[in-house]
Amino acid sequence: EGPTVAIVGATGAVGSVMIEIMNARETVPWGGIKLIASPRSAGKKIDVRGVEHTVVALSPEAFDDVDIAMFDVPDELSAQWAPVAVERGAVAVDNSGAFRMDPEVPLVVPEVNAHRASERPKGIIANPNCTTLSMMAALGELHREFGLRELVVSSYQAASGSGQEAIDRLRAEIEAVAGKQVGDRAGDVAEALVAAGLPEETPFKAPLALNVVPWCGSRKEDGWTSEELKVRNESRKILGIPDLKVSATCVRVPVVTTHSLAVHATFDREVSVAQAHRIFDGASSVVLQDDPDGPDFPTPAGVVGGEPTYVGRVRQAVDFPNTLDFFVCGDNLRKGAALNTYEIAETLASAE
Ligand code: 2RA
């Protein structure tokens, strides 16, 4: 029959994408599918693969017949409930930040380190942050062949990475400036937003419409943000390079969904653009969009809703022979969240 899988947080933003992904699969390995959410959403009916499912409230008993529980809930809920799911006999695949850096919890991107999924002393497997994930499939392929040594990254992160409230705010800001001749003096955009009645308090810390904001996540030590440290720590853990040199600058851009990254990656040996193209072409979850005569390159608006990692602008850095520069786009709600979590669960199902 096949294992029973549960989506915990089935009615949330990522949980809903998870259901879309399941519906789009030709076949699924599941003997049963269970939808779990807060008591507020319990009783709601949702169609999954042509069958109506009733959402059940999160409780210890909800996990009794579950083999694999995929968690798409905030950190504090995962921290509390993933161990409960494990106690009740399930493997927890967690998309929050609660367990990512726990040495007893593998951090898995199936294309890169699927083998880690079987080493899970706590019964929990973590899914990386969407910013790290957006480049991992591409980077993992290059690392396998050329040995990654140093990584310098700038991100261009979509509003949806910060949740529904952030999406609503970006849409409201765009509406507030649309059709207006907003000036280009300092403060003009902020004034236009206040004039349109938007609260000054914003999830982005500064206006995002007509702007870019070099701040994602929360403040950490020495001027770094939580997002920048996640890129460093998670890349090291996933790739299995504890001393990888990493520096990241994370920037929010006025895009609704799909994160992009400019990657400057240095390897143990020289890598040509032709070699990188060959590797990207051969990687099943990477789409190479890089005809220099094009112009041809991925953009968030061009790839949103897609499952692969899209790579373009591959260049050998002129002054650094062992270094490649390239641009990556990945849908932060799909490969960056729901899809990778689902692929980990599929990996577990095929190992049973
Ligand atoms: C963001 N990567 O884009 C984060 C979400 N976890 O804000």
Side-chain angles (χ1 to χ4, degrees), residues 10 19 62 86 88 106 108 119 121 194 199-200 208 218 224 228 250 264 283 300 341:
I19 293 172
V86 174
R88 298 273 166 160
V108 174
E119 302 156 15
V194 172
E200 273 182 59
L208 192 59
S218 55
W224 295 99
E228 291 158 352
C250 290
H264 179 89
T341 308

Side-chain angles (χ1 to χ4, degrees), residues 129-131 157-158 161-162 227 252 259:
N129 184 35
C130 49
T131 314
Q157 293 181 221
S162 205
E227 282 292 294
R252 193 75 66 189
H259 286 355

